[in-house]
Amino acid sequence: MRFYTGDDVGLIKGVDIDPTVSLLDAQAAAAKKLRLEAKAKKAASIVAAKGATSSGNVGSGAAGEAVLEGVGVWTQSGTVSRGRGIQQMAVSNATADGDGDAGAVFVVARADGTVEAIAKESGAVVDAHTEQGFAAPVSIKHSGRQIAERRYVGVGAVGGTSFISCTNLGEVRCQRFGEDEEPRVLLKLPVEACRMRVHAKSPRVFAVGGREQELSVWDIDAVGTAAAAADVVAEYRKPTTAPLFRAKNVRPDSLGLRVPVCITDIQFLSDSATAPTVAVSTGHKQIRIYDARADARPIHDWSDGVSAHPITNLLASHAKPELFFTDNVGGLHQLDLRTGRVVGGYRGFAGAVTSVALSEDGAMVAGAGLDRFVRVYEADGMRRLLHRAYVKQRVAQLHWDWSVRDVSPDEAERREEDEIWDAMETRRSKRKAAAC
């Protein structure tokens, strides 16, 4: 299995994990290696104390740390620069030059305002766009909070040739890579947006929500803005058309008080883009389901017993009617969409989980975050921790590469036997054929 991570210092890393090597076996082998290295260091120190000189290097990189067997980590793209940290990342199956057969690209939004298209196979930057004035200081007061900087809250790939990006100031941009002139769409939505998601099947449809900003779904091809004068530099403008769907806040609570709005993540649950079903999480420990065909208010509002902490991330399963969600204290949980109940959780994280990914068959779930580990669990059953990899940096985005197929132990054994037989030399028999 293969993963790609985007971290806070601007690196895209690849992680290969051999599914045939169990975590317990890998940890046992690593512990044995550390014990042998400790004994070697102790013997070397005794020899050095007697006046002998030691030749050679003993150790394995970082003190007290050994790489687990069956785990490989490498840097795919980028150099260490905290000012160019990765804030959002998406994957497109078509390249930036329009050739879908040449491989996939990562669309990466960085902290300095750059949106890049990076070839997945080579790690080379294919194209890039830099938002002018992105790093300039801002001072905006909204809902009693002070906003002091811009940051990306969502990015999406449109066929590898175009991208959609959104900042926390509600600035939505859609344009082709390498083309700063028209055609492009610059849309100004309310400030303090917290998340923007692009529809997987219709990438020109996106949803956005945030603090005191209810969920809205837009079609970038149908949105209209006020025309700018010919001598005015292009700028973000408010839409003049209505969105495909705009949610309403839930009704006041039992005391008649208005319920505050704080959307933290969004997931599309249906293939329909014109009348979608959407799940949102909130910073007030709630998960809500909206159906554009039914009502502007949520058809399900789950709050009691869902989470004891603010929910930060959502992931909808493509294999089962389930949602995976994380909180701000390192929890990863699984919710059944049919009942609205939490059916299980995953332990082991030592910090907030910033990104979650699912295997192609939905049988495994992976999470990564501030503790610098990528962990893989069973999605059902005992939800055991199956694999773990240390990537050295805090992970902001995690992508499970489904194009790399895992080989089962039986298949691996069969292939090994075939290789042995193929390597054998074929010898002709010395016996002569009997005459007829």
Side-chain angles (χ1 to χ4, degrees), residues 225-409:
T225 58
D231 57 344
V232 176
V233 178
E235 60 182 10
Y236 294 96
R237 294 184 174 274
K238 293 182 178 180
T240 57
T241 55
L244 296 177
F245 172 74
R246 188 188 298 278
K248 288 183 179 180
N249 194 6
V250 296
R251 301 186 186 279
D253 60 15
S254 58
L255 297 177
L257 302 177
R258 175 184 175 274
V259 178
V261 178
C262 183
I263 294 176
T264 57
D265 205 354
I266 303 168
Q267 283 286 321
F268 286 96
L269 301 181
S270 62
D271 293 338
S272 172
T274 56
T277 303
V278 185
V280 303
S281 61
T282 75
H284 302 293
K285 316 169 191 177
Q286 301 147 340
I287 292 179
R288 294 170 179 163
I289 309 297
Y290 293 88
D291 190 344
R293 300 166 299 178
D295 192 8
R297 288 192 169 92
I299 58 175
H300 296 295
D301 183 10
W302 297 314
S303 56
D304 296 335
V306 172
S307 177
H309 305 280
I311 301 172
T312 55
N313 293 279
L314 275 183
L315 176 66
S317 173
H318 55 275
K320 299 178 181 179
E322 295 174 339
L323 273 178
F324 296 88
F325 66 91
T326 68
D327 55 39
N328 62 352
V329 295
L332 172 59
H333 307 279
Q334 184 177 356
L335 180 137
D336 192 332
L337 286 172
R338 295 165 295 188
T339 62
R341 294 185 178 181
V342 176
V343 296
Y346 304 86
R347 297 181 178 180
F349 296 99
V353 182
T354 55
S355 189
V356 186
L358 269 176
S359 62
E360 187 174 11
D361 59 1
M364 292 179 288
V365 60
L370 302 184
D371 64 355
R372 299 173 171 87
F373 279 94
V374 176
R375 292 180 171 86
V376 183
Y377 297 86
E378 289 179 331
D380 292 314
M382 298 297 294
R383 299 179 178 84
R384 295 175 299 145
L385 176 62
L386 301 177
H387 307 284
R388 186 180 67 185
Y390 183 66
V391 295
K392 296 186 179 180
Q393 278 83 27
R394 295 178 178 178
V395 178
Q397 298 293 321
L398 178 67
H399 168 67
W400 195 317
D401 189 359
W402 292 350
S403 64
V404 178
R405 305 291 180 179
D406 295 336
V407 179
S408 65

Side-chain angles (χ1 to χ4, degrees), residues 184-218:
R184 61 182 175 185
V185 177
L186 303 178
L187 187 63
K188 183 68 176 73
L189 300 179
V191 299
E192 206 156 7
C194 293
R195 186 70 73 189
M196 186 272 288
R197 289 282 186 186
V198 173
H199 196 285
K201 299 294 181 65
S202 302
R204 299 186 73 84
V205 173
F206 67 93
V208 65
R211 188 178 296 274
E212 296 306 328
Q213 181 180 165
E214 272 292 357
L215 171 71
S216 58
V217 181
W218 301 82

Side-chain angles (χ1 to χ4, degrees), residues 7-11 78-86 110-112:
D7 55 46
D8 61 344
V9 295
L11 300 178
T79 57
V80 175
S81 174
R82 196 166 295 276
R84 285 175 51 80
I86 295 175
R110 299 185 179 273
D112 63 351

Side-chain angles (χ1 to χ4, degrees), residues 17-33 35 66-71 376 378 384-389:
I17 298 178
D18 186 354
T20 63
V21 179
S22 69
L23 180 60
L24 292 177
D25 293 341
Q27 288 176 326
K32 183 178 179 180
K33 183 179 179 181
R35 288 196 300 268
V67 179
L68 293 180
E69 181 182 355
V71 175
V376 183
E378 289 179 331
R384 295 175 299 145
L385 176 62
L386 301 177
H387 307 284
R388 186 180 67 185

